[in-house]
Amino acid sequence: MTQDNGGRGPEDSADSSFFHRIGAFFRDESEDGDAAKQLQSAMQNARAKGVIGEDSFSMMEGVLKISELCASDIMIPRSRIKAINLDEPREQWMREARESGHSRFPVIDGDFSNVIGLLHAKDLLYSLLDPDYKPREHLRPVKFVTETMALNQILKDFKTEKQHLALVVDEFGEIAGLLTIEDVIEQIVGDIDDEFDTEDSEAKNIVPEGKNRWRVKAVTLLEQFNEYFHTSIRDPHCETIGGIVADRLERMPRRGDSVEAGGFRFTVLSANDRQVKLLQAERLSAPALPPAPDRK
């Protein structure tokens, strides 16, 4: 006897199964306790059958990924934090704040052992317009998170607390880094460029994404990549990592393409019909040790 499925075809049943698995994952109803793997398998099947597109698949993968990443995986290290020290001359920290293009700044009293608040860009505007404006009286509270705090929890806290920035502290309570709500969201939707982002900025060309994985801008120079990873990728025809990928493929890279070079697998995350934009670099082997010195 044929079971009546209400006139639905096999693809409709596949759609229903896919969305059922999504619901089960978020309700934590998986019987075998491996809901994430089941959902990822269902997503791959749905993508193969055209139920979801590449962009949707990528974002859903990002949603799953942020539960596996923690603050230390994506934070801006302490050495690169743009902070304001109100004890410095106003002209100095105002100039540095304007040049950074950021909208929020940690405020320190002397050094990072004493963070006293956050200052918003509009407070800088008030300082420019009114010489008597006292920024110290308008500081906002700082949110602190631990290095091991999961990104999905941080994103939830950002939303409920209406915060956009957090300082990351290590096990000793020292400032280890900084992350923003944009940094977390980028793990889901990819890089978000604004009018202050510059293509030649090296600060975010290479961003840790997890164990042995990094997000790398295609415009990253081979010299910078080699210096960062202690590798020696060379090509007489290429100056960038994106160029290496295109050269190995011998055609214009497309999303999902991957090549191996210098002990890494490079997978294209973003590309258009003219150029590759963003790559994921996965280390396949440990970097070679330098040769022992000749002791003759």
Side-chain angles (χ1 to χ4, degrees), residues 138-155:
H138 299 273
L139 296 180
R140 301 152 197 264
V142 184
K143 177 176 179 60
F144 296 95
V145 300
T146 64
E147 288 181 304
T148 57
M149 190 171 183
L151 293 191
N152 56 349
Q153 183 60 52
I154 294 174
L155 184 59

Side-chain angles (χ1 to χ4, degrees), residues 180-250:
T180 67
I181 190 171
E182 179 180 306
D183 295 327
V184 181
I185 292 175
E186 283 185 336
Q187 302 304 309
I188 301 174
V189 303
D191 279 359
I192 302 172
D193 293 329
D194 61 31
E195 64 270 29
F196 296 108
D197 290 331
T198 57
E199 288 297 325
D200 59 349
S201 173
E202 297 187 356
K204 290 188 177 182
N205 277 0
I206 303 173
V207 179
E209 196 176 43
K211 185 177 181 181
N212 290 327
R213 294 200 312 273
W214 294 263
R215 194 175 289 252
V216 180
K217 286 185 178 180
V219 296
T220 302
L221 295 175
L222 292 179
E223 181 181 358
Q224 183 193 355
F225 186 91
N226 288 330
E227 181 179 354
Y228 187 98
F229 291 105
H230 305 290
T231 52
S232 57
I233 300 176
R234 296 284 187 271
D235 191 302
H237 307 293
C238 305
E239 297 182 359
T240 66
I241 290 297
I244 289 289
V245 173
D247 183 68
R248 299 297 190 272
L249 290 170
E250 297 184 338

Side-chain angles (χ1 to χ4, degrees), residues 18-176:
F18 168 65
F19 289 111
H20 173 75
R21 292 189 193 187
I22 290 180
F25 173 76
F26 288 108
R27 293 194 303 270
D28 197 24
E29 292 179 354
S30 176
E31 296 179 358
D32 63 1
D34 204 5
K37 287 184 178 180
Q38 287 191 21
L39 179 55
Q40 191 167 31
S41 176
M43 287 163 47
Q44 291 170 347
N45 289 334
R47 178 182 61 171
K49 294 177 181 179
V51 176
I52 59 175
E54 286 290 340
D55 289 341
S56 298
F57 176 79
S58 178
M59 284 192 288
M60 294 172 74
E61 269 197 324
V63 171
L64 296 181
K65 182 178 64 180
I66 65 169
S67 64
E68 301 172 357
L69 298 176
C70 58
S72 62
D73 290 322
I74 70 166
M75 70 182 185
I76 299 170
R78 171 172 169 165
S79 61
R80 284 174 27 208
I81 297 177
K82 299 294 185 181
I84 287 177
N85 185 352
L86 295 180
D87 289 337
E88 295 177 344
R90 177 185 294 240
E91 294 75 15
Q92 179 176 335
W93 56 258
M94 285 286 288
R95 182 180 65 257
E96 293 175 353
R98 289 198 304 270
E99 291 174 352
S100 74
H102 299 320
S103 59
R104 293 171 177 81
F105 303 87
V107 178
I108 59 177
D109 189 359
D111 56 36
F112 274 106
S113 63
N114 189 13
V115 180
I116 59 177
L118 288 180
L119 199 61
H120 196 280
K122 69 179 182 181
D123 296 311
L124 301 181
L125 178 60
Y126 293 146
S127 296
L128 285 172
L129 298 176
D130 183 1
D132 296 326
Y133 186 82
K134 296 179 175 56
R136 192 180 293 270
E137 298 177 1
H138 299 273
L139 296 180
R140 301 152 197 264
V142 184
K143 177 176 179 60
F144 296 95
V145 300
T146 64
E147 288 181 304
T148 57
M149 190 171 183
L151 293 191
N152 56 349
Q153 183 60 52
I154 294 174
L155 184 59
K156 180 180 179 181
D157 289 353
F158 275 149
K159 180 179 178 182
T160 56
E161 299 171 15
K162 298 182 179 179
Q163 294 272 16
H164 292 79
L165 180 150
L167 290 177
V168 184
V169 296
D170 61 20
E171 59 182 312
F172 304 105
E174 298 291 332
I175 302 298

